[in-house]
């Protein structure tokens, strides 16, 4: 426990960023704009990382594995005390949706730049999240069932009413990590075992649940921002249907083919969920949209800033991370952007160190060339790497995000393609050519991409 002050007496002057990569760099830049000092943390693999050199101070966390460094709550709290930080921003991933970490930060007298531990716990657990959605009158897949008992090897000892195919998903985390599809009852035990193993590794929790698989669905999410006292606003929708291995690769706002009446219903339902849990801060409510029946269902809520928040920033001329920090600085004086409805077209491509021809397996190694100096004006490029850096095997292989915004979708797609071709990367394999190819397809240009499109076509 900090001895010199209490949480109510804190005047925020220094922020510890409990993360790495492009999100850490982004938070540091926004803190500097507000004259806040920054504290970076790093593992062995990140000793010379960009975010380490950007911050005012940097402290070593531990070995390269996330469990020894970015997931080490005890060490993070020690550094927060040693550095005399006033606040902690978790970014996304790692401990961003850990109610335990949020509680520890607040109990220790620091300002937590994120939702309340209660909101994180409620919406982070898929069972309670669906209960919240039901109370709020939000559509939930009717045949979704929690896998509350073990499935014996060699048989499909399941509830008779399960309708195949189904998805086996981790209850404790988002992002599609560990998700498996079971097309028949015979495939279910193997899918359960694989999901539990991956979930335990990624989230430290192997609880799973079943969800009806909707073929050729769209993944739509609503960006929300809550102020507590059951007050919340939204910033429109994002279409995140371009996915490989259930992980997003292209996101855009607004969704190109959805009727505005459906989007309006989704935003209203997203705000009801925020009110139900008295949400405070940035968050995203995700829906699965059945393109055949024109129905949507609640998937989950991510109680943090997301990788794709930059799309919404550009589509609405906002600064969501800036709003997070301003809310922590002084909730009464936070300025809301004048426009919160997406205008024109904003699209983001995630650039990964991976091999698309080898089922998108990661491609770690040295960034021998990394040159984006030739980009056109207005291109937003976010990265945590520089030329000569090593893409580590220990973390997500995301290298950078490129985001473009124009008055119409056709121009945005064209601008993205031109600038992806200007990006020079060597030393590792990337998905750049794959992204260009996907953007150039008739299906993408017409907005017909669905969550299974890449699996079916690549």
């Amino acid at each position: 426990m900090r001895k010199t002050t209490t949480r109510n007496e804190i005047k925020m002057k220094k922020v510890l960023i409990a993360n790495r990569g492009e999100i850490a760099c982004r938070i540091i830049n926004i803190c500097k704009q507000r004259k806040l000092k920054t504290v970076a943390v790093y593992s062995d693999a990140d000793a010379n990382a960009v975010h380490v050199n950007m911050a005012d101070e940097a402290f070593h966390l531990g070995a390269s594995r996330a469990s020894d460094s970015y997931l080490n709550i005890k060490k993070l709290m020690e550094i927060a005390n040693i550095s005399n930080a006033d606040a902690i921003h978790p970014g996304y991933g790692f401990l961003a949706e850990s109610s335990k970490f949020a509680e520890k930060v607040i109990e220790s007298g620091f300002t937590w730049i994120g939702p309340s531990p209660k909101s994180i716990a409620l919406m982070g657990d898929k069972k309670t999240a669906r209960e919240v959605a039901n109370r709020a009158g939000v559509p939930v897949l009717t045949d979704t069932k929690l896998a509350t008992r073990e499935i014996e090897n060699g048989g499909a000892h399941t509830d008779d009413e399960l309708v195949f195919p189904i998805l086996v998903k981790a209850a404790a985390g988002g992002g599609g990590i560990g998700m498996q599809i079971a097309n028949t009852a015979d495939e279910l035990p193997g899918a359960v075992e694989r999901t539990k193993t991956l979930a335990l590794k990624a989230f430290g929790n192997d609880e799973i649940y079943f969800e009806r698989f909707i073929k050729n669905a769209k993944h739509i999410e609503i960006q929300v921002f809550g102020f507590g006292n059951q007050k919340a606003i939204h910033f429109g929708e994002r279409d995140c249907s371009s996915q490989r291995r259930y992980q997003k690769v292209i996101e855009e706002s607004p969704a190109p083919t959805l009727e505005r009446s459906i989007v309006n219903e989704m935003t209203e339902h997203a705000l009801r969920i925020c009110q139900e849990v008295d949400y405070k801060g940035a968050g995203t409510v995700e829906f699965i949209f059945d393109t055949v029946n024109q129905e949507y269902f609640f998937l989950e809520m991510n109680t943090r800033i997301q990788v794709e928040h930059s799309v919404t920033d550009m589509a609405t001329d906002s600064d969501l991370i800036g709003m997070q920090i301003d809310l922590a600085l002084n909730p009464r004086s936070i300025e809301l952007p004048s426009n919160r409805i997406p205008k024109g077209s904003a699209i983001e491509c995630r650039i990964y160190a991976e091999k698309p021809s080898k089922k998108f397996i990661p491609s770690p190694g040295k960034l021998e060339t990394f040159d984006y100096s030739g980009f056109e004006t207005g291109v937003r490029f976010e990265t945590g790497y520089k030329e000569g850096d090593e893409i580590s095997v220990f973390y997500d292989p995301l290298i950078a995000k490129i985001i473009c915004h124009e008055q119409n979708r056709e121009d945005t797609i064209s601008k993205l393609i031109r600038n992806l071709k200007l990006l020079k990367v060597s030393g590792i394999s990337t998905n750049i050519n794959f992204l260009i190819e996907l953007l150039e397809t008739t299906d993408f240009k017409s907005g017909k991409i669905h969550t299974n499109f890449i699996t079916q076509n690549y």
Side-chain angles (χ1 to χ4, degrees):
M1 177 68 71
R2 306 179 78 195
K3 299 179 180 179
T4 56
T5 185
T6 67
R7 183 169 183 262
N8 292 331
E9 297 169 346
I10 289 175
K11 292 182 179 180
M12 203 164 90
K13 295 180 181 179
K14 186 185 287 189
V15 179
L16 184 150
I17 297 95
N19 217 296
R20 65 181 297 277
E22 62 90 9
I23 188 60
C25 294
R26 175 75 177 156
I27 296 167
I28 290 169
N29 278 326
I30 294 171
C31 285
K32 287 183 176 180
Q33 294 171 10
R34 286 154 175 76
K35 311 297 183 189
L36 297 169
K37 296 289 186 181
T38 54
V39 180
V41 292
Y42 61 92
S43 67
D44 288 348
D46 287 336
N48 297 309
V50 174
H51 76 280
V52 173
N53 295 312
M54 284 179 62
D56 295 293
E57 302 171 58
F59 291 82
H60 180 243
L61 266 175
S64 297
R65 292 187 183 279
S67 58
D68 297 324
S69 51
Y70 299 104
L71 293 174
N72 189 333
I73 294 176
K74 180 180 179 181
K75 185 65 176 179
L76 283 164
M77 299 311 302
E78 288 175 0
I79 292 172
N81 275 301
I82 293 169
S83 65
N84 288 315
D86 303 306
I88 295 178
H89 195 306
Y92 57 70
F94 296 126
L95 293 168
E97 292 181 279
S98 168
S99 58
K100 178 182 176 182
F101 184 44
E103 286 175 354
K104 187 66 176 178
V105 169
I106 294 169
E107 289 173 359
S108 300
F110 300 94
T111 297
W112 169 252
I113 305 179
S116 70
K118 182 179 179 181
S119 292
I120 295 172
L122 271 174
M123 301 313 293
D125 181 279
K126 300 304 183 293
K127 179 181 179 180
T128 57
R130 278 161 170 71
E131 291 171 353
V132 168
N134 275 318
R135 287 200 305 271
V138 179
V140 178
L141 284 171
T142 54
D143 57 356
T144 297
K145 293 184 178 297
L146 283 176
T148 55
R149 58 192 176 90
E150 290 295 323
I151 298 171
E152 298 175 16
N153 291 329
H157 299 274
T158 62
D159 297 311
D160 293 336
E161 60 266 34
L162 279 178
V163 179
F164 291 89
I166 63 171
L167 289 171
V168 184
K169 304 176 75 173
I177 296 174
M179 190 188 304
Q180 301 285 321
I181 186 169
N183 292 293
T184 65
D186 289 339
E187 292 180 6
L188 192 56
V192 166
E193 183 179 355
R194 290 190 297 272
T195 304
K196 288 170 73 72
T197 299
L198 290 168
L200 185 62
K201 181 179 178 181
F203 311 116
N205 184 336
D206 68 352
E207 184 180 0
I208 58 172
Y209 67 101
F210 302 144
E211 182 177 272
R212 176 159 59 96
F213 176 71
I214 298 176
K215 187 178 180 180
N216 300 344
K218 280 190 171 292
H219 185 127
I220 306 296
E221 53 191 38
I222 307 299
Q223 177 67 57
V224 294
F225 198 96
F227 301 92
N229 299 319
Q230 296 188 324
K231 295 180 181 179
I233 59 175
H234 73 83
F235 290 76
E237 84 281 13
R238 294 186 291 258
D239 187 332
C240 305
S241 303
S242 299
Q243 302 179 5
R244 90 285 186 264
R245 300 200 319 261
Y246 305 110
Q247 300 284 300
K248 304 164 190 172
V249 289
I250 299 179
E251 302 98 0
E252 61 180 303
S253 181
T257 59
L258 256 63
E259 295 288 342
R260 298 322 295 173
S261 59
I262 293 176
V263 172
N264 291 339
E265 286 182 14
M266 284 183 174
T267 56
E268 176 60 30
H269 282 142
L271 293 181
R272 285 189 199 173
I273 287 174
C274 291
Q275 292 164 355
E276 190 71 29
V277 297
D278 199 19
Y279 196 75
K280 189 174 182 179
T284 303
V285 181
E286 300 192 352
F287 296 94
I288 194 77
F289 179 72
D290 185 339
T291 58
V292 175
N293 298 307
Q294 295 290 293
E295 297 177 310
Y296 64 88
F297 305 94
F298 171 77
L299 269 182
E300 63 181 5
M301 183 176 187
N302 291 317
T303 53
R304 53 170 167 79
I305 200 72
Q306 282 192 280
V307 179
E308 59 270 28
H309 78 275
S310 310
V311 178
T312 297
D313 275 2
M314 293 198 78
T316 60
D317 192 25
S318 304
D319 180 359
L320 289 163
I321 292 179
M323 287 180 63
Q324 284 185 303
I325 294 171
D326 291 341
L327 185 68
L329 277 169
N330 189 347
R332 296 180 181 178
S333 65
I334 185 170
E335 293 184 12
L336 300 180
S338 57
N339 170 52
R340 300 196 298 275
I341 303 300
K343 300 292 184 183
S345 170
I347 304 178
E348 170 183 288
C349 290
R350 301 191 192 187
I351 299 166
Y352 284 98
E354 64 183 16
K355 298 178 179 179
S357 63
K358 303 276 188 181
K359 297 185 178 180
F360 301 95
I361 63 171
S363 174
K366 186 177 181 180
L367 270 172
E368 294 177 359
T369 305
F370 191 44
D371 184 3
Y372 47 94
S373 60
F375 280 173
E376 298 172 19
T377 303
V379 174
R380 179 162 162 171
F381 191 72
E382 298 180 352
T383 183
Y385 292 98
K386 62 183 182 302
E387 195 166 86
D389 281 353
E390 192 84 13
I391 307 297
S392 173
V393 298
F394 294 104
Y395 314 116
D396 186 272
L398 178 69
I399 304 172
K401 306 181 304 186
I402 181 171
I403 313 99
C404 292
H405 178 251
E406 292 294 330
Q407 292 305 306
N408 62 73
R409 190 168 180 267
E410 183 180 354
D411 288 346
T412 304
I413 293 171
S414 296
K415 189 171 185 177
L416 267 171
I417 292 171
R418 289 196 306 272
N419 286 276
L420 282 168
K421 290 179 178 179
L422 291 171
L423 178 58
K424 300 174 183 176
V425 180
S426 71
I428 56 170
S429 297
T430 74
N431 66 335
I432 294 173
N433 289 334
F434 167 77
L435 290 170
I436 294 171
E437 183 179 343
L438 182 58
L439 290 167
E440 289 178 337
T441 62
T442 302
D443 289 283
F444 188 89
K445 289 181 177 179
S446 62
K448 294 181 179 179
I449 296 292
H450 50 79
T451 54
N452 207 34
F453 178 85
I454 292 175
T455 301
Q456 290 175 353
N457 291 277
Y458 294 90

